Amino acid sequence: MGNLSKIMDTIRMIDQQHLDIRTITMGISLLDCVSEDPHRCCDKIYDKITRRAARLVRTGEQIQQEFGIPIVNKRISVTPMALVAAGCDTKDYVPFARAMDRAAKECGVNFIGGFSALVQKGFATGDEYLLNAIPEALAATDLVCSSVNVGSTRAGINMDAVARMGRIIKETAHLTREDDGLGCAKLVVFCNAVEDNPFMAGAFHGVGEADSVINVGVSGPGVVYHALQECKGQPFDVVAETIKKTAFHITRMGQMVAAEASRRLDTPFGIVDLSLAPTPAVGDSVARILEEMGLETCGTHGTTAALAMLNDAVKKGGVMASGHVGGLSGAFIPVSEDEGMIAAAQRGTLCVDKLEAMTCVCSVGLDMIAVPGDTTAETISAIIADEAAIGMVNSKTTAVRIIPVEGKGVGDVVEMGGLLGSAPVMPVHRESPADFIARGGRIPAPLQSLKN
C-alpha cells in the first residue's frame, strides 16, 4: 500500500502540479577537437557532437514514454569555446558558433551551451576573440547559448571584462532588435560559474569533467506550491519540513531518470540539479510559493526571508535523495519565465533592486530581466558588477541575463515565446555609473578567499 500511495502521489504531481524533468543535458568535451586549421576544427566539433549526442533526443523521448515523466528539454553543453578555438589560426570565432548550431540542429536538441569564456582574472587571446564574436554569433545562430565568467571568490572581479560585457549586451540587443533583443536571452554573465550546470543559457562543460556526462535538471515549483497548501497557518518549521520532503520526492525522480539515461546512452552520470525552475504556466511559479507562505505579493517585505528558507529547504531535501547533487540547485527567479513574478513586476511590487536583494539567497541572480532600450552600456555593466560582488563575497554563483529592448520603455511587454515567456520592461536607475565603470582593473578577491 505504501508503494502504491507513492506511485499515485507521483502521478498526481505530474498530471496536476507541473512536475517534470526540465532538461537532460549531455556535456561533451571538445578538447580533442583542437586543430590549427579552423575549418578542420569546426568539422571535428560537428562530428564529435553529432556522434556523441546522436541518440540523446530519442532516448529522452523513450524514457518519457515508458515512465510517463515529462522531459521538457534535451540539451548539449560543450567545453568553453574560447579554450577549444584558441589553438586555431584565426581571429574569427563566429564559424565555431555556426558549427555548434549545425550540430545541435542535427541532434534535434533545444539548445547548445558553451560559446563561453572564463575571464575572471584576465584575458587570454582566445578569450578576446570569443568576446568579440558573441554579438554576431548569437545573431547568426538559433540554438547557441553563450556565457562569460567575469569574477570568482578566489580571483575577484575583472572590471575590464564587466565593462566589455555591458557593451557586448548592447550590441547583441541591437543585432537582434527585430526579435526584441532575443540574443540577450541566450547570454549570461557569471561570477563563480559552475562546470556542471545543465540549465541554459549558462551551461558549459568544464575542463574537470569526464569526456562526456549526463546531467539532469529537475523542476517542481507547482508541486511545492500544492504541498504548502496543506499546511496553511502552520509555523515555518512545518513549512520547511514540508518543502524538504517534497524536494526529496522530486529529486528521487530526477535521479531515476538520470541513471536510466546514463545507462541507455552509455555515458557517465554527472549530477542532478535541484533547481526549482519556473515556467510561464499558471501553477508553476516560484513567486506563488512565496505568496503561499503569507506574502500578499512577491517582492513585498519578507520576500527575501521566504526565498532564503525555500532555497535552503530544497537543498536539504534534495541532497538526501541523490549522492550527486550539483549544478546550481535551489530556486530560480527568472522574471519573464515565472507568471507570478511577471504579475508582481507589472504591479510594481517587484523591482530590480528587490530582485538584487533576493539573489543574495537564491540559486543564481538577475535572470531574464527586460530593461528600456536606452539603458546605457555602463548601467548594464554596473548591474553586472553589483551581482558579481554578491557572488564573490558570499562564495556563491550569481549571474545576470538582462535584455535591453530597443524601442521599448517601462511598462511595455516583450513576448519571448515558449519557456522564455513574456518580460515586462522594468525601470533601472537613470543616474550614471560611467566613471565607476571607466576605472577598469580588478576588484581584489575578498578575505574569505584565503582558505588554504
Side-chain angles (χ1 to χ4, degrees), residues 62-93:
Q62 289 171 347
I63 293 173
Q64 174 174 307
Q65 184 176 12
E66 293 175 26
F67 289 85
I69 299 171
I71 300 174
V72 180
N73 289 288
K74 297 86 180 173
R75 298 165 171 168
I76 297 168
S77 64
V78 299
T79 309
M81 193 53 62
L83 301 177
V84 179
C88 297
D89 185 18
T90 182
K91 296 181 180 180
D92 181 9
Y93 281 15

Side-chain angles (χ1 to χ4, degrees), residues 19-367:
L19 178 61
D20 59 51
I21 299 298
R22 184 54 47 84
T23 180
I24 296 178
T25 301
M26 176 179 281
I28 302 173
S29 173
L30 299 181
L31 292 176
D32 56 353
C33 296
V34 175
S35 171
E36 188 173 352
D37 180 352
H39 301 291
R40 174 63 178 150
C41 185
C42 286
D43 289 342
K44 293 174 72 174
I45 288 168
Y46 176 87
D47 291 343
K48 184 167 186 180
I49 292 172
T50 53
R51 183 175 69 253
R52 285 295 174 91
R55 296 187 294 117
L56 176 61
V57 171
R58 183 169 69 253
T59 299
E61 291 171 346
Q62 289 171 347
I63 293 173
Q64 174 174 307
Q65 184 176 12
E66 293 175 26
F67 289 85
I69 299 171
I71 300 174
V72 180
N73 289 288
K74 297 86 180 173
R75 298 165 171 168
I76 297 168
S77 64
V78 299
T79 309
M81 193 53 62
L83 301 177
V84 179
C88 297
D89 185 18
T90 182
K91 296 181 180 180
D92 181 9
Y93 281 15
V94 174
F96 300 106
R98 292 185 186 275
M100 291 169 62
D101 200 48
R102 291 197 307 274
K105 289 175 178 176
E106 175 65 23
C107 294
V109 296
N110 305 94
F111 286 110
I112 182 168
F115 197 73
S116 307
L118 310 176
V119 297
Q120 58 268 24
K121 210 168 182 179
F123 303 99
T125 302
D127 300 325
E128 294 272 6
Y129 296 156
L130 186 126
L131 264 62
N132 291 340
I134 287 175
E136 184 180 347
L138 295 181
T141 60
D142 298 313
L143 305 181
V144 173
C145 293
S146 178
S147 60
V148 178
N149 193 68
V150 299
S152 73
T153 300
R154 298 303 296 265
I157 302 173
N158 181 348
M159 290 299 292
D160 293 319
V162 168
R164 288 185 66 173
M165 290 313 301
R167 298 191 294 271
I168 287 168
I169 290 170
K170 286 286 287 184
E171 185 179 352
T172 303
H174 179 69
L175 292 181
T176 59
R177 60 193 180 279
E178 293 184 2
D179 295 316
D180 287 333
L182 184 62
C184 296
K186 300 185 292 177
L187 174 58
V188 181
V189 186
F190 277 117
C191 178
N192 288 322
V194 296
E195 297 190 342
D196 54 6
N197 169 23
F199 287 101
M200 298 297 168
F204 64 85
H205 186 71
V207 295
E209 298 286 311
D211 193 65
S212 60
V213 296
I214 292 294
N215 297 321
V216 167
V218 298
S219 181
V223 180
V224 175
Y225 172 75
H226 281 84
L228 291 185
Q229 290 182 318
E230 302 299 320
C231 54
K232 289 184 181 292
Q234 297 294 312
F236 280 110
D237 313 76
V238 177
V239 173
E241 194 65 24
T242 300
I243 296 170
K244 283 167 55 180
K245 291 177 179 177
T246 305
F248 177 87
H249 291 304
I250 294 170
T251 308
R252 289 297 285 178
M253 187 187 74
Q255 171 84 10
M256 178 187 70
V257 170
E260 188 64 20
S262 172
R263 182 185 67 81
R264 296 188 185 194
L265 292 167
D266 193 26
T267 302
F269 162 51
I271 56 92
V272 175
D273 188 311
L274 313 177
S275 299
L276 294 181
T279 73
V282 174
D284 201 23
S285 162
V286 170
R288 300 306 185 194
I289 296 174
L290 305 180
E291 292 169 358
E292 184 62 27
M293 293 183 194
L295 303 173
E296 182 176 351
T297 303
C298 176
T300 192
H301 303 297
T303 299
T304 305
L307 182 59
M309 191 197 66
L310 172 65
N311 211 55
D312 179 67
V314 165
K315 292 181 179 181
K316 286 176 177 174
V319 295
M320 293 297 292
S322 175
H324 297 283
V325 171
L328 300 167
S329 290
F332 286 178
I333 53 171
V335 175
S336 80
E337 299 174 14
D338 186 308
E339 62 86 16
M341 293 198 180
I342 294 169
Q346 289 174 332
R347 289 180 62 176
T349 309
L350 191 64
C351 61
V352 173
D353 287 348
K354 184 60 178 179
L355 283 164
E356 183 181 298
M358 293 164 67
T359 64
C360 296
V361 299
C362 76
S363 285
V364 193
L366 297 172
D367 196 13

Side-chain angles (χ1 to χ4, degrees), residues 157 159-160 162-163 378-387 389 431-441 443:
I157 302 173
M159 290 299 292
D160 293 319
V162 168
E378 292 82 6
T379 294
I380 293 171
S381 294
I383 292 170
I384 293 169
D386 283 342
E387 200 58 37
E431 293 78 11
S432 175
D435 289 345
F436 174 78
I437 296 301
R439 288 179 179 271
I443 293 179

